[in-house]
Amino acid sequence: MLYTYKSNNRSRRRHYHHHHHHHHHRGTPLYSNITNKHLNKFPLRTHPNNQMALVKEIMGCSMMEKSLFPLSNIRKSINRTHNQPCVNIRTRIPAVKAAISEDLAKLVKADKAVTFKVRAVLTVRNKYQEDFKETLVKKIDAFADQIGRNVVLELYSIDIDPRTRAPKKSKEAVLKDWSQKSNLKSEKVNYTSDILVDSDFGIPGAITITNKHQKEFYLESITIEGFACGPVYFPCNSWVQSTNDHPHPRILFSNQPYLPDQTPAGLKLLREKELKDLRGDGKGVRKLSDRIYDYDVYNDLGNPDRGNDFIRPLLGGQKIPYPRRCRTGRLPSDTDISAESRVEKPFPLYVPRDEQFDESKQNTFSTSRLKAVLHNLLPSMVANISKKHDFKGFSQIESLYSEGVHLKLGLQDDIIKKLRLPNLVTRLHESSQGGGLLKYDIPKILSKDRFSWLRDDEFARQALAGINPVNIEKLKVFPPVSQLDPEIYGLQESALKEEHILRYLNGLTVQQAIEEHMLFITDYHDIYLPFLDRINALDGRKAYATRTIFYLNPSGTLKPIAIELSLPRALPGSQSKRVVNPPVDATSNWTWQLAKAHVCSNDAGVHQLANHWLRTHATMEPFILSAHRQLSAMHPIYKLLEPHMRYTLEINAIARQNLINADGVIEQCFTPGRYAMEISAAAYKNWRFDLEGLPADLIRRGMAIPDPSQKHGLKLLIDDYPYASDGLLIWEAIQKWVQTYVTRYYPDASHVCNDRELQAWYTESINVGHEDIRQETWWPKLADADDLTGILTTVIWLASAQHAALNFGQYPYGGYIPNRPPLMRRMIPDENDPEYTSFLEDPQNYFLSALPSMLQSTKYMAVVDTLSTHSPDEEYIGERQQTDTWTGDAEMVEAFYAFSTEIQRIEKEIERRNRDTGLKNRCGAGVLPYELLAPSSQPGVTCRGVPNSVSI
């Protein structure tokens, strides 16, 4: 398939565009005298002395292969790759033409195979900040390179050499200009290499790199130019280790996707070898330069060597089922053979080398910010803020934003000053006492209405449009029923009775209100009750298991009408369950505020431990580990998933080290304390992958009913449910994109069933990654393209939109502690309690002393602020690194642009909804707009933006 430009056509495209499909031959005048008719006379590679066949061989492309797509499909603007300016076709041709005619002239003279030169350009990304040792090693490497310790490349054809039955290879080639460019300070450096290949080489499909320097380098991409099929792209985005650490050459594949049984003969062995390397052998301690993906249980959260207080149960296994995490292979602790020894901050935990956050200046931002907060800021807070100190008034909480807290900074806190912590430490300047001022940005919840958090309508609105909009359910039976085992927990009858709610139902009976979809509930009874005795025995922790009933107003907003507070068993003289209703006088007003605060702290724990950590971080890890182990980089499904797996293993490792570990931030700041991860594991018992997609989840919670006549195939019971209505737009866009992609490679069910790598990915994700629940019958089957579309849509939804909706509002909503206290320290007093008098005397003081202390609050604020921050290098949904060259399939690049356009349309629709005064849950006096699912964002804490992956 040769496309020719007519030279007299004024309107021809001027730009030689950098598109990237190996079977697509760019039209250039140079081939215009050779027609398809001529070429097709000669079967390829039959008569070695046939000049025409040799011309075809020089061109390096199998002309016979039908081009996979028409020229018209190719995007007109695809020249953004590597930010290169478009090259005018006239300036490009003569050089190539000259080279080819010289080669033709040589061919005419000689019948034997000739070699010709192609050029490889490697784009290497420099480190932003090098320490002295690294600079020294770099200099030694530059010198060593001059005397032959080079970076060596070999190019592999997609064809087998008929004589040797091995893949066709080029001659070894070295990077020519390493030592000259070793001092370049730019972020990216392009190195070149000339590679000699035989004229019958065919199309390049893989390249191996041997790094004989001492230091690893980050290879972004390779472009090979000089083959007649046009430039060949190798998207790498990988660290290439020194042969000192990893003696075998690195294998990298071009961007041409192949299903396993369509792998060209020349690449089969390389494809298998690369996957075998990534799996490792399951033995030994992993070193930081490894890139081995393997599984383990969560046996490293505790630190038994530090004493009994730091022992935590092992998560994963039949005793406490849990998803698997990435194996590090560290030795066991001294005191407990089944617990892995800890690596404490600031030493890093192993994740495969390519999973570590990039060190380029953009990318250090969110992770080093997180590390600075955890390692430097929190310890100096502990040293400076008294543990006993409670807030003296609401104005004191608000002064954290206006006046800040004085911290005496030690030397180690220089790092905090260096790191731009824009909204966390806006003024850590030196003051005369040698301290600094820690100032917080005003959380969004206070920005429009300082008192909104006190109101019932805002409390209810946040169940639909806050940071945890995934727990509210339609009330199906009244009174609500517990699913806990009565053998263990006794009969758990609800204290809610009809008389508690009848007066709020505008004349309906309770049954009528249920049938007309007017009653809703957030039910935290079963997840907390089994743990309450242990939680309430902790110092400074007090909790109930709560249920909240909401009534749907005719205007589409919710009104909380009853809160049930449960304790496991009645202590003598006190009731174990009580119901609190909206207030009628001063005393009941404060009781009601305390009850809502307890509901919020229940909600904060479930949000963080079940919905955020478990359902988007922990359950995704097995799918990611398995994808790297079982799907080749050239597998089309790997290419689809790649942006949605970025950085997740690293952020989960940081969490195991600092956040969810024994005495980590989550235990210190949330109600369940040391039982936090056991609550997370209890939630895993009810986790079902088949119900994690948005439509299935809405139907499971009764927030929607199936309705084929409606868009998305369901009808929301609360029309103005911002999380659900925005989420369905994104869900549908992801589903449509995935479906287009899947049907491109899997025209029928047999292709899905026979794809060894794909089936291995899915079965391993379940059987090894989720081993403890592998027997469950609800796992979706993977037998046809629809099954695959459903599974992939769910995975991408969880990694992108679901995580974003649960994560990036944490500081905007939770940064003002009274709005969502993460823990409570006092019960709600009743007449028989000794503290009832002090509650009546000074209810505001009692309320504040029930909230977290100043130290707990400021620590919690510092961490959720960081977790809510977008880093400057964030990739949002609808964006991709190397937009035009991530795949060699132009049709899919085109489809991806359509997906991007749809995401931009959704963003405009969300903006329109936030201006619609009819939608009272997102628009109104002092009401926050719902932007958590608005796809794009600036860096920083913005309360919006949907990144591709779970990366913070």
Side-chain angles (χ1 to χ4, degrees), residues 387-509:
K387 274 205 172 67
K388 298 280 180 282
H389 188 70
D390 291 344
F391 288 110
K392 292 289 179 278
F394 290 102
S395 58
Q396 198 183 10
I397 300 178
E398 288 178 30
S399 75
L400 294 172
Y401 317 115
S402 53
E403 290 158 37
V405 192
H406 274 283
L407 294 180
K408 293 186 269 307
L409 292 178
L411 291 173
Q412 93 280 18
D413 296 285
D414 286 350
I415 185 168
I416 298 181
K417 292 203 232 33
K418 279 199 197 101
L419 267 174
R420 305 185 310 286
L421 301 185
N423 45 346
L424 176 62
V425 189
T426 36
R427 297 252 165 72
L428 260 179
H429 58 213
E430 290 295 312
S431 63
S432 51
Q433 298 83 38
L437 199 58
L438 168 64
K439 258 178 79 168
Y440 290 91
D441 266 11
I442 295 177
K444 216 169 177 183
I445 186 72
L446 289 187
S447 62
K448 288 187 130 187
D449 177 352
R450 276 177 57 198
F451 301 107
S452 64
W453 68 275
L454 277 163
R455 293 196 318 268
D456 288 359
D457 61 287
E458 177 62 20
F459 170 80
R461 188 190 77 82
Q462 287 183 28
L464 298 171
I467 184 58
N468 188 33
V470 298
N471 273 104
I472 187 162
E473 299 175 58
K474 176 181 144 44
L475 185 67
K476 298 185 180 86
V477 287
F478 188 86
V481 182
S482 165
Q483 303 300 314
L484 293 173
D485 183 349
E487 295 285 306
I488 306 175
Y489 300 103
L491 268 178
Q492 291 292 330
E493 279 188 47
S494 172
L496 285 157
K497 302 276 181 285
E498 296 217 348
E499 63 263 24
H500 289 124
I501 62 171
L502 260 180
R503 61 177 177 278
Y504 303 102
L505 303 186
N506 293 341
L508 296 173
T509 68

Side-chain angles (χ1 to χ4, degrees), residues 138-154:
K138 199 169 168 181
K139 286 201 166 43
I140 295 169
D141 278 343
F143 175 70
D145 191 88
Q146 290 171 310
I147 54 170
R149 287 192 65 73
N150 316 73
V151 175
V152 181
L153 311 177
E154 276 187 295

